[in-house]
Amino acid sequence: MTLLGKKGARGATFLLVATIVASCGLPRSGPGKQEIFNGSVQKNGDAYIVSVDNRVTRATSAQPALGFSQEFLNAGLSVADVIKPGDTLGLTIWENVDDGLLASAETGTSNLDEVQVDSAGMIFVPYAGRIRAAGNTPEALRQIITSKLDSQTPDPQVIVRRLAGNGSTVSLVGAVSAQGVYPIERPTRTLSNMLAAAGGVAIEPEIAQVSVIRGNMTSKVWFEDLFTHPSFDIALRGGDRILVEEDERSFTVLGATGGQARVAFQTQTISAIEAIAQVGGLNSNLADPTGVFVFRTESSNIANDVLQRSDLHGEQRMAYVLDLTEPTGMFDARDFIIRDKDTIYVTEAPFVTWNKTISALTGSLASANAIASAAGSN
């Protein structure tokens, strides 16, 4: 009776532990491959599950394009040398006498900095009076000032420079080496040249985006596209605001990978295989290479194209599955483009769940045997 009681106690304990382990959720990084498939629309779920192949890769390859609108592209180069009301000028005057009208005796020169062109387009120069500056180039204004001073001081030499002002300037802010307000001059009439005047971008060129705000219009381009697409190197206008900022797109990687993180884009485009590589690749002890999923919300146009339908309307939840063990699996992962806010999830291999179950059983049974032995000895 006592012996039967010991066996009965151990058997009952084994059945109890097995039942508990089977009914309780084991620790894991997320749902398994089959659980995801069970949540598909085909099984009354809320997401379409699609195996990635060449056709799907092509249908999902579209990326939101950056580029200037026609209003920006059609704007011609401004006549940068023409002075306008609001401009600020710098004048330097040399006189060929020891005791000049304006020049100091030590240097023979006079610097008139920040001479403001008023709303009527006029400036005031001592001994030359009020002079119309607006509508003239710096060279034409130099000749006018020289002729007015020539009758009062022998052979005056004049230099006129356009400085920062309200008439023809742009502001540069964000990730540039030298933020500030810059005049539009002949060498800086285009966007790339103005950025160069500000010291260039202060972030990696591959992820730099340049926005130009003109009145109530705003357009954005990739910095590198200014050089690969010459038409994007647009002409600037007075009052333009230029903002340089880092690409804010990101994706999330979860599951059986070398790391789980929110990852910022480091290039304009990134493939699924590159995205996984950025977090250390698949975890060789855990990952199921047949269950690499990319979750995203697609527009109805792309969803209809992917599913070869025409009846879907509005945004659709999509789960794209990559099987890296297929003959073309690596090529599909290399060509499948990751987009902003995508979630990449790698499922655990089935044997991992099995090992966890066995470990839980053997660990629990060891404790149960100890308890049963103690109970039987009493």
Side-chain angles (χ1 to χ4, degrees):
M1 184 68 180
T2 304
L3 181 60
L4 182 59
K6 289 181 180 179
K7 292 182 177 179
R10 290 175 181 173
T13 302
F14 179 85
L15 291 174
L16 176 62
V17 172
T19 302
I20 292 174
V21 170
S23 61
C24 295
L26 293 169
R28 53 183 177 161
S29 58
K33 179 180 176 181
Q34 191 57 48
E35 290 173 308
I36 296 176
F37 274 95
N38 289 339
S40 68
V41 171
Q42 296 89 327
K43 296 187 178 182
N44 298 319
D46 63 352
Y48 291 97
I49 298 180
V50 180
S51 295
V52 174
D53 56 21
N54 286 336
R55 185 188 62 80
V56 172
T57 295
R58 290 192 299 270
T60 59
S61 63
Q63 289 275 16
L66 297 183
F68 288 118
S69 63
Q70 288 301 315
E71 288 82 359
F72 286 94
L73 295 175
N74 294 335
L77 291 174
S78 61
V79 184
D81 288 344
V82 174
I83 299 169
K84 300 177 183 178
D87 282 352
T88 302
L89 308 177
L91 308 180
T92 301
I93 301 172
W94 283 266
E95 296 184 62
N96 194 23
V97 292
D98 294 334
D99 186 15
L101 293 172
L102 301 171
S104 64
E106 293 80 8
T107 63
T109 63
S110 175
N111 291 312
L112 303 178
D113 294 326
E114 297 187 2
V115 178
Q116 187 77 37
V117 181
D118 64 23
S119 59
M122 309 294 287
I123 62 171
F124 176 77
V125 178
Y127 299 102
R130 282 176 60 78
I131 300 173
R132 173 165 293 280
N136 290 308
T137 64
E139 172 60 21
L141 181 59
R142 182 193 70 79
Q143 294 177 11
I144 294 172
I145 296 174
T146 299
S147 65
K148 288 184 175 293
L149 293 177
D150 191 49
S151 60
Q152 304 183 60
T153 184
D155 194 24
Q157 303 297 307
V158 179
I159 289 180
V160 178
R161 305 179 306 279
R162 289 181 64 252
L163 307 176
N166 296 325
S168 296
T169 62
V170 300
S171 61
L172 283 92
V173 296
V176 291
S177 297
Q179 300 184 61
V181 177
Y182 292 83
I184 301 177
E185 299 176 318
R186 184 170 291 276
T188 58
R189 291 186 293 175
T190 62
L191 179 56
S192 64
N193 287 346
M194 186 62 76
L195 289 169
V201 298
I203 55 177
E204 289 295 327
E206 284 189 339
I207 56 173
Q209 297 178 345
V210 182
S211 298
V212 177
I213 305 168
R214 180 175 297 168
N216 59 359
M217 299 185 302
T218 300
S219 279
K220 180 187 297 185
V221 297
W222 294 100
F223 173 73
E224 290 187 333
D225 285 349
L226 295 179
F227 306 97
T228 57
H229 300 284
S231 62
F232 285 170
D233 193 15
I234 59 171
L236 298 176
R237 291 288 182 268
D240 282 353
R241 290 170 289 167
I242 302 171
L243 171 64
V244 179
E245 55 190 343
E246 186 175 329
D247 182 11
E248 295 182 348
R249 296 176 302 158
S250 65
F251 58 92
T252 304
V253 181
L254 300 172
T257 61
Q260 303 186 45
R262 177 177 178 269
V263 184
F265 277 64
Q266 298 299 316
T267 54
Q268 290 188 28
T269 60
I270 184 170
S271 69
I273 204 71
E274 290 170 329
I276 294 171
Q278 285 193 6
V279 294
L282 301 185
N283 187 324
S284 58
N285 295 321
L286 300 175
D288 178 4
T290 70
V292 179
F293 289 85
V294 178
F295 298 96
R296 75 166 59 130
T297 301
E298 294 282 24
S299 67
S300 58
N301 290 337
I302 295 179
N304 278 318
D305 194 8
V306 168
L307 299 171
Q308 296 183 306
R309 299 172 54 163
S310 60
D311 59 330
L312 297 177
H313 302 281
E315 294 184 333
Q316 304 294 324
R317 290 183 173 181
M318 307 289 287
Y320 298 101
V321 58
L322 291 154
D323 184 349
L324 302 185
T325 66
E326 288 287 335
T328 62
M330 284 294 182
F331 290 100
D332 293 333
R334 183 199 63 182
D335 297 335
F336 188 81
I337 299 300
I338 298 300
R339 297 212 296 265
D340 186 27
K341 298 181 176 61
D342 277 357
T343 298
I344 302 172
Y345 175 69
V346 180
T347 58
E348 291 184 351
F351 84 91
V352 174
T353 303
W354 173 250
N355 284 345
K356 289 179 179 179
T357 303
I358 295 300
S359 297
L361 279 172
T362 55
S364 301
L365 285 173
S367 300
N369 284 333
I371 294 172
S373 296
S377 63
N378 290 333

Coordinates of all heavy atoms in Angstrom, one line a residue, residues 279-352:
V279 N 21.0 45.0 -36.9 CA 20.8 44.6 -35.5 C 21.5 43.3 -35.2 O 21.2 42.6 -34.2 CB 19.3 44.5 -35.1 CG1 18.7 45.9 -35.2 CG2 18.6 43.5 -36.0
G280 N 22.5 42.9 -36.0 CA 23.3 41.7 -35.7 C 22.8 40.4 -36.4 O 23.3 39.3 -36.1
G281 N 21.9 40.5 -37.3 CA 21.4 39.3 -38.0 C 20.5 38.5 -37.2 O 20.0 38.8 -36.1
L282 N 20.1 37.3 -37.7 CA 19.3 36.3 -37.0 C 20.1 35.7 -35.9 O 21.3 35.4 -36.0 CB 18.8 35.3 -38.0 CG 18.0 35.7 -39.2 CD1 17.5 34.5 -39.9 CD2 16.8 36.6 -38.8
N283 N 19.4 35.4 -34.8 CA 20.0 34.7 -33.7 C 20.0 33.2 -34.0 O 18.9 32.6 -34.1 CB 19.1 34.9 -32.4 CG 19.8 34.3 -31.2 OD1 20.4 33.3 -31.2 ND2 19.7 35.0 -30.0
S284 N 21.2 32.7 -34.3 CA 21.3 31.3 -34.7 C 20.8 30.3 -33.7 O 20.5 29.1 -34.1 CB 22.8 31.0 -35.1 OG 23.6 31.2 -33.9
N285 N 20.6 30.6 -32.5 CA 20.1 29.7 -31.5 C 18.6 29.7 -31.3 O 18.0 28.9 -30.7 CB 20.7 30.0 -30.1 CG 22.2 29.7 -30.1 OD1 22.7 28.8 -30.7 ND2 23.0 30.6 -29.5
L286 N 18.0 30.8 -31.9 CA 16.5 30.9 -31.7 C 15.7 31.1 -33.0 O 14.6 30.6 -33.0 CB 16.3 32.2 -30.8 CG 16.9 32.2 -29.4 CD1 16.7 33.6 -28.8 CD2 16.3 31.1 -28.6
A287 N 16.3 31.7 -34.0 CA 15.5 32.2 -35.1 C 15.0 31.1 -36.0 O 15.7 30.1 -36.3 CB 16.3 33.2 -35.9
D288 N 13.8 31.3 -36.6 CA 13.2 30.5 -37.6 C 13.4 31.2 -38.9 O 12.7 32.2 -39.2 CB 11.7 30.2 -37.3 CG 11.1 29.4 -38.4 OD1 11.8 28.9 -39.4 OD2 9.9 29.2 -38.4
P289 N 14.4 30.8 -39.8 CA 14.6 31.5 -41.0 C 13.5 31.5 -42.0 O 13.5 32.2 -43.0 CB 15.9 30.9 -41.6 CG 15.9 29.5 -41.0 CD 15.3 29.6 -39.6
T290 N 12.5 30.6 -41.8 CA 11.3 30.6 -42.6 C 10.2 31.6 -42.2 O 9.2 31.7 -42.8 CB 10.7 29.2 -42.7 OG1 10.1 28.9 -41.4 CG2 11.8 28.1 -43.0
G291 N 10.4 32.2 -41.1 CA 9.4 33.1 -40.5 C 9.9 34.5 -40.2 O 9.9 34.9 -39.0
V292 N 10.4 35.2 -41.2 CA 10.8 36.6 -41.1 C 9.7 37.4 -41.7 O 9.4 37.4 -42.9 CB 12.1 36.8 -41.9 CG1 12.5 38.3 -41.8 CG2 13.2 35.9 -41.4
F293 N 9.0 38.2 -40.8 CA 7.8 39.0 -41.2 C 8.1 40.5 -41.2 O 8.9 41.0 -40.4 CB 6.7 38.7 -40.2 CG 6.1 37.4 -40.3 CD1 6.6 36.3 -39.6 CD2 4.9 37.2 -41.0 CE1 6.1 35.0 -39.7 CE2 4.4 35.9 -41.1 CZ 4.9 34.8 -40.4
V294 N 7.5 41.2 -42.1 CA 7.5 42.6 -42.2 C 6.1 43.1 -42.1 O 5.3 42.8 -43.0 CB 8.2 43.2 -43.5 CG1 8.2 44.7 -43.5 CG2 9.6 42.6 -43.6
F295 N 5.7 43.8 -41.0 CA 4.4 44.3 -40.8 C 4.3 45.8 -41.2 O 5.2 46.6 -40.8 CB 4.0 44.2 -39.4 CG 3.9 42.8 -38.9 CD1 5.0 42.2 -38.2 CD2 2.8 42.0 -39.1 CE1 5.0 40.9 -37.7 CE2 2.8 40.7 -38.6 CZ 3.9 40.1 -37.9
R296 N 3.3 46.1 -42.0 CA 3.1 47.6 -42.4 C 1.7 47.8 -42.8 O 0.9 46.8 -43.0 CB 4.1 48.0 -43.5 CG 3.7 47.5 -44.8 CD 4.5 48.2 -45.9 NE 5.9 48.1 -45.8 CZ 6.7 47.7 -46.8 NH1 6.3 47.4 -48.0 NH2 8.0 47.6 -46.6
T297 N 1.3 49.0 -42.9 CA 0.0 49.4 -43.4 C 0.2 50.0 -44.8 O 1.0 50.9 -45.0 CB -0.7 50.5 -42.5 OG1 -0.8 50.0 -41.2 CG2 -2.0 50.9 -43.0
E298 N -0.5 49.4 -45.8 CA -0.4 49.8 -47.2 C -1.6 50.6 -47.6 O -2.7 50.4 -47.1 CB -0.2 48.5 -48.0 CG 1.0 47.7 -47.8 CD 2.2 48.3 -48.5 OE1 2.2 49.6 -48.7 OE2 3.2 47.6 -48.8
S299 N -1.4 51.4 -48.6 CA -2.5 52.1 -49.3 C -3.3 51.0 -50.1 O -2.8 50.0 -50.4 CB -2.0 53.2 -50.2 OG -1.2 52.6 -51.3
S300 N -4.5 51.4 -50.4 CA -5.3 50.4 -51.2 C -4.7 50.2 -52.5 O -4.9 49.0 -53.1 CB -6.7 51.0 -51.3 OG -6.7 52.3 -51.9
N301 N -4.1 51.1 -53.1 CA -3.5 50.9 -54.5 C -2.4 49.8 -54.4 O -2.5 48.9 -55.3 CB -2.9 52.2 -55.0 CG -3.9 53.3 -55.4 OD1 -5.1 52.9 -55.6 ND2 -3.5 54.5 -55.4
I302 N -1.5 49.9 -53.5 CA -0.5 48.9 -53.4 C -1.1 47.6 -52.9 O -0.7 46.5 -53.5 CB 0.6 49.4 -52.4 CG1 1.3 50.6 -53.0 CG2 1.6 48.2 -52.2 CD1 2.4 51.1 -52.1
A303 N -2.0 47.6 -52.0 CA -2.6 46.3 -51.5 C -3.3 45.6 -52.6 O -3.2 44.4 -52.8 CB -3.6 46.6 -50.3
N304 N -4.1 46.3 -53.4 CA -4.7 45.7 -54.6 C -3.7 45.1 -55.6 O -4.0 44.0 -56.1 CB -5.6 46.7 -55.3 CG -7.0 46.9 -54.6 OD1 -7.6 45.9 -54.1 ND2 -7.4 48.1 -54.5
D305 N -2.6 45.8 -55.8 CA -1.6 45.3 -56.7 C -1.0 44.1 -56.2 O -0.8 43.1 -56.9 CB -0.6 46.4 -56.9 CG 0.3 46.1 -58.1 OD1 0.0 45.2 -58.8 OD2 1.3 46.9 -58.3
V306 N -0.6 44.1 -54.9 CA 0.0 42.9 -54.2 C -0.9 41.7 -54.3 O -0.5 40.6 -54.6 CB 0.5 43.3 -52.8 CG1 0.9 42.0 -52.0 CG2 1.6 44.3 -52.8
L307 N -2.2 41.9 -53.9 CA -3.1 40.8 -53.8 C -3.8 40.5 -55.1 O -4.6 39.6 -55.1 CB -4.1 41.1 -52.7 CG -3.6 41.3 -51.3 CD1 -4.7 41.9 -50.4 CD2 -3.0 40.1 -50.8
Q308 N -3.5 41.3 -56.1 CA -4.1 41.1 -57.4 C -5.6 41.2 -57.4 O -6.3 40.3 -57.8 CB -3.6 39.8 -58.1 CG -2.1 39.7 -58.3 CD -1.7 38.4 -59.0 OE1 -1.9 37.3 -58.5 NE2 -1.0 38.6 -60.1
R309 N -6.0 42.2 -56.7 CA -7.5 42.5 -56.5 C -7.7 43.9 -57.0 O -6.8 44.7 -57.3 CB -7.9 42.3 -55.1 CG -7.7 40.9 -54.6 CD -7.9 40.8 -53.1 NE -9.2 41.2 -52.6 CZ -9.7 40.9 -51.5 NH1 -9.1 40.1 -50.6 NH2 -10.9 41.4 -51.1
S310 N -9.0 44.3 -56.9 CA -9.4 45.7 -57.2 C -10.5 46.2 -56.3 O -11.0 47.3 -56.6 CB -9.8 45.8 -58.7 OG -11.0 44.9 -58.9
D311 N -10.9 45.4 -55.3 CA -12.0 45.8 -54.5 C -11.7 46.3 -53.1 O -12.6 46.6 -52.4 CB -12.9 44.5 -54.3 CG -12.2 43.4 -53.7 OD1 -10.9 43.3 -53.8 OD2 -12.8 42.6 -52.9
L312 N -10.4 46.5 -52.8 CA -10.0 47.0 -51.5 C -10.0 48.5 -51.5 O -9.6 49.1 -52.5 CB -8.6 46.5 -51.1 CG -8.5 44.9 -51.0 CD1 -7.0 44.6 -50.7 CD2 -9.4 44.4 -49.9
H313 N -10.5 49.1 -50.4 CA -10.5 50.5 -50.3 C -9.9 50.9 -48.9 O -10.1 50.2 -47.9 CB -11.9 51.0 -50.4 CG -12.6 50.7 -51.7 ND1 -12.4 51.4 -52.9 CD2 -13.5 49.7 -52.0 CE1 -13.1 50.8 -53.8 NE2 -13.8 49.8 -53.3
G314 N -9.2 52.0 -48.9 CA -8.6 52.5 -47.6 C -7.4 51.7 -47.3 O -6.9 50.8 -48.0
E315 N -6.7 52.0 -46.2 CA -5.5 51.4 -45.8 C -5.7 49.9 -45.4 O -6.8 49.6 -44.8 CB -4.8 52.2 -44.7 CG -4.4 53.6 -45.1 CD -3.6 54.3 -44.0 OE1 -3.9 54.0 -42.8 OE2 -2.8 55.2 -44.3
Q316 N -4.7 49.1 -45.6 CA -4.9 47.7 -45.3 C -3.6 47.2 -44.5 O -2.5 47.6 -44.8 CB -4.9 46.9 -46.7 CG -6.1 47.3 -47.6 CD -7.4 47.0 -47.0 OE1 -7.6 46.0 -46.3 NE2 -8.4 47.8 -47.3
R317 N -3.9 46.4 -43.5 CA -2.8 45.8 -42.8 C -2.2 44.6 -43.5 O -2.9 43.7 -44.0 CB -3.3 45.3 -41.4 CG -3.6 46.5 -40.5 CD -4.1 45.9 -39.1 NE -4.3 47.0 -38.1 CZ -4.6 46.8 -36.9 NH1 -4.8 45.6 -36.4 NH2 -4.8 47.8 -36.1
M318 N -0.9 44.7 -43.7 CA -0.2 43.6 -44.5 C 0.9 43.0 -43.6 O 1.6 43.7 -42.9 CB 0.4 44.2 -45.8 CG -0.6 45.0 -46.6 SD -1.9 44.0 -47.4 CE -0.9 43.2 -48.7
A319 N 1.1 41.7 -43.8 CA 2.2 41.0 -43.1 C 3.0 40.3 -44.2 O 2.4 39.3 -44.8 CB 1.8 40.1 -42.0
Y320 N 4.1 40.7 -44.6 CA 4.9 40.1 -45.7 C 5.9 39.1 -45.0 O 6.6 39.4 -44.0 CB 5.7 41.1 -46.4 CG 4.9 42.1 -47.1 CD1 4.7 43.4 -46.6 CD2 4.2 41.8 -48.3 CE1 3.9 44.4 -47.3 CE2 3.4 42.8 -49.0 CZ 3.2 44.0 -48.5 OH 2.5 44.9 -49.1
V321 N 5.9 37.9 -45.5 CA 6.7 36.8 -44.9 C 7.8 36.4 -45.9 O 7.6 36.2 -47.0 CB 5.9 35.6 -44.5 CG1 5.1 35.0 -45.6 CG2 6.8 34.6 -43.8
L322 N 9.1 36.4 -45.3 CA 10.2 36.0 -46.1 C 10.7 34.7 -45.6 O 10.9 34.5 -44.4 CB 11.3 37.1 -45.9 CG 11.1 38.4 -46.6 CD1 11.9 39.5 -45.8 CD2 11.5 38.4 -48.0
D323 N 11.0 33.8 -46.5 CA 11.5 32.5 -46.2 C 13.0 32.4 -46.7 O 13.2 32.3 -47.9 CB 10.7 31.4 -46.9 CG 11.2 30.0 -46.5 OD1 12.3 29.9 -45.9 OD2 10.4 29.0 -46.8
L324 N 13.9 32.6 -45.8 CA 15.3 32.7 -46.2 C 15.9 31.3 -46.6 O 17.0 31.3 -47.1 CB 16.1 33.3 -45.1 CG 15.7 34.7 -44.6 CD1 16.7 35.2 -43.6 CD2 15.6 35.6 -45.8
T325 N 15.1 30.2 -46.4 CA 15.6 28.9 -46.8 C 15.2 28.6 -48.2 O 15.7 27.6 -48.8 CB 15.1 27.8 -45.9 OG1 13.6 27.7 -46.0 CG2 15.4 28.1 -44.4
E326 N 14.4 29.4 -48.9 CA 14.0 29.1 -50.2 C 15.2 29.4 -51.2 O 16.1 30.2 -50.8 CB 12.8 30.0 -50.6 CG 11.5 29.6 -50.0 CD 10.9 28.4 -50.6 OE1 11.3 28.1 -51.8 OE2 10.2 27.7 -49.9
P327 N 15.2 28.8 -52.3 CA 16.4 29.1 -53.2 C 16.6 30.6 -53.6 O 17.7 31.0 -53.7 CB 16.0 28.3 -54.5 CG 15.1 27.2 -54.0 CD 14.3 27.8 -52.8
T328 N 15.5 31.3 -53.6 CA 15.6 32.7 -53.9 C 15.3 33.6 -52.7 O 15.1 34.8 -52.8 CB 14.6 33.1 -55.0 OG1 13.2 32.9 -54.6 CG2 14.8 32.4 -56.3
G329 N 15.3 33.0 -51.5 CA 14.9 33.7 -50.3 C 15.8 34.8 -50.0 O 15.4 36.0 -49.7
M330 N 17.1 34.6 -50.1 CA 18.1 35.7 -49.8 C 18.0 36.9 -50.9 O 18.1 38.0 -50.5 CB 19.5 35.2 -49.8 CG 19.9 34.4 -48.6 SD 19.9 35.5 -47.1 CE 20.4 34.3 -45.9
F331 N 17.7 36.5 -52.1 CA 17.6 37.5 -53.1 C 16.3 38.3 -52.9 O 16.3 39.6 -53.0 CB 17.5 36.9 -54.5 CG 18.8 36.3 -55.0 CD1 19.1 35.0 -54.9 CD2 19.8 37.2 -55.5 CE1 20.3 34.5 -55.3 CE2 21.0 36.7 -55.9 CZ 21.3 35.3 -55.8
D332 N 15.2 37.6 -52.5 CA 14.0 38.4 -52.1 C 14.2 39.3 -51.0 O 13.7 40.5 -51.0 CB 12.9 37.4 -51.8 CG 12.4 36.5 -53.0 OD1 12.6 37.0 -54.1 OD2 11.9 35.4 -52.8
A333 N 14.9 38.9 -49.9 CA 15.2 39.7 -48.8 C 16.1 40.9 -49.2 O 15.9 42.0 -48.6 CB 15.8 38.9 -47.7
R334 N 17.0 40.6 -50.1 CA 17.9 41.7 -50.6 C 17.1 42.8 -51.3 O 17.5 44.0 -51.3 CB 19.0 41.1 -51.4 CG 20.0 42.1 -51.9 CD 20.8 41.6 -53.1 NE 19.9 41.4 -54.3 CZ 20.3 40.8 -55.4 NH1 21.5 40.5 -55.6 NH2 19.4 40.7 -56.4
D335 N 16.1 42.4 -52.1 CA 15.4 43.3 -53.0 C 14.1 43.9 -52.3 O 13.6 44.9 -52.8 CB 14.9 42.6 -54.3 CG 16.1 42.1 -55.1 OD1 17.2 42.6 -54.9 OD2 15.9 41.1 -55.8
F336 N 13.6 43.3 -51.2 CA 12.4 43.9 -50.6 C 12.8 45.1 -49.8 O 13.6 45.1 -48.9 CB 11.8 42.8 -49.6 CG 10.5 43.2 -49.1 CD1 9.3 43.0 -49.8 CD2 10.4 43.8 -47.8 CE1 8.1 43.4 -49.3 CE2 9.2 44.1 -47.3 CZ 8.0 43.9 -48.1
I337 N 12.2 46.2 -50.1 CA 12.5 47.5 -49.6 C 11.7 47.8 -48.3 O 10.5 47.6 -48.2 CB 12.2 48.7 -50.6 CG1 13.1 48.5 -51.8 CG2 12.5 50.0 -50.0 CD1 14.6 48.5 -51.6
I338 N 12.5 48.2 -47.2 CA 11.9 48.6 -45.9 C 11.4 50.0 -46.0 O 12.2 50.9 -46.6 CB 12.9 48.3 -44.8 CG1 13.2 46.9 -44.7 CG2 12.3 48.8 -43.5 CD1 12.0 45.9 -44.5
R339 N 10.3 50.3 -45.4 CA 9.8 51.7 -45.4 C 9.6 52.2 -44.0 O 9.8 51.5 -43.0 CB 8.4 51.8 -46.2 CG 8.6 51.4 -47.6 CD 7.5 52.1 -48.5 NE 6.2 51.8 -48.2 CZ 5.4 50.9 -48.8 NH1 6.0 50.2 -49.7 NH2 4.2 50.7 -48.4
D340 N 9.4 53.5 -43.9 CA 9.2 54.2 -42.6 C 8.2 53.5 -41.8 O 7.1 53.2 -42.3 CB 8.9 55.7 -42.9 CG 8.9 56.5 -41.6 OD1 9.6 56.1 -40.6 OD2 8.2 57.5 -41.6
K341 N 8.5 53.3 -40.5 CA 7.5 52.7 -39.5 C 7.2 51.3 -39.7 O 6.3 50.7 -39.1 CB 6.2 53.5 -39.4 CG 6.4 55.0 -39.0 CD 5.1 55.7 -38.9 CE 5.2 57.1 -38.4 NZ 6.1 58.0 -39.3
D342 N 8.0 50.6 -40.5 CA 7.9 49.1 -40.7 C 8.3 48.4 -39.4 O 9.1 48.9 -38.6 CB 8.7 48.6 -41.8 CG 8.1 48.7 -43.2 OD1 6.9 49.2 -43.2 OD2 8.7 48.4 -44.2
T343 N 7.7 47.3 -39.1 CA 8.1 46.4 -38.0 C 8.6 45.1 -38.6 O 7.8 44.4 -39.3 CB 6.9 46.2 -37.0 OG1 6.5 47.4 -36.4 CG2 7.4 45.2 -35.9
I344 N 9.8 44.8 -38.3 CA 10.4 43.5 -38.8 C 10.4 42.5 -37.5 O 10.9 42.9 -36.5 CB 11.8 43.7 -39.3 CG1 11.8 44.7 -40.4 CG2 12.4 42.3 -39.7 CD1 13.2 45.1 -40.9
Y345 N 9.8 41.4 -37.7 CA 9.7 40.4 -36.6 C 10.2 39.1 -37.1 O 9.7 38.5 -38.1 CB 8.3 40.3 -36.1 CG 8.1 39.3 -35.0 CD1 8.6 39.4 -33.8 CD2 7.3 38.1 -35.3 CE1 8.4 38.4 -32.8 CE2 7.1 37.2 -34.4 CZ 7.7 37.3 -33.1 OH 7.6 36.4 -32.1
V346 N 11.1 38.5 -36.3 CA 11.6 37.1 -36.7 C 11.1 36.2 -35.6 O 11.3 36.3 -34.4 CB 13.2 37.1 -36.7 CG1 13.7 35.7 -37.0 CG2 13.7 38.2 -37.7
T347 N 10.4 35.1 -36.1 CA 9.8 34.2 -35.2 C 10.9 33.2 -34.7 O 11.9 33.0 -35.3 CB 8.7 33.4 -35.8 OG1 9.2 32.7 -37.0 CG2 7.6 34.3 -36.3
E348 N 10.5 32.5 -33.5 CA 11.4 31.5 -33.0 C 11.2 30.2 -33.7 O 10.1 29.9 -34.1 CB 11.2 31.3 -31.5 CG 11.6 32.5 -30.7 CD 11.5 32.3 -29.2 OE1 10.8 31.2 -28.8 OE2 11.9 33.1 -28.4
A349 N 12.2 29.4 -33.8 CA 12.1 28.1 -34.4 C 11.3 27.1 -33.5 O 11.3 27.3 -32.3 CB 13.5 27.5 -34.7
P350 N 10.5 26.2 -34.1 CA 9.7 25.3 -33.3 C 10.4 24.6 -32.3 O 9.9 24.3 -31.2 CB 9.1 24.4 -34.4 CG 9.1 25.2 -35.7 CD 10.3 26.0 -35.6
F351 N 11.7 24.1 -32.6 CA 12.4 23.3 -31.6 C 12.7 24.1 -30.3 O 13.0 23.6 -29.3 CB 13.7 22.8 -32.2 CG 14.9 23.7 -32.2 CD1 15.7 23.7 -31.1 CD2 15.1 24.6 -33.2 CE1 16.8 24.6 -31.1 CE2 16.1 25.5 -33.2 CZ 17.0 25.5 -32.2
V352 N 12.8 25.5 -30.5 CA 13.1 26.3 -29.3 C 12.0 26.2 -28.3 O 12.2 26.0 -27.1 CB 13.3 27.8 -29.7 CG1 13.4 28.7 -28.5 CG2 14.5 27.9 -30.6

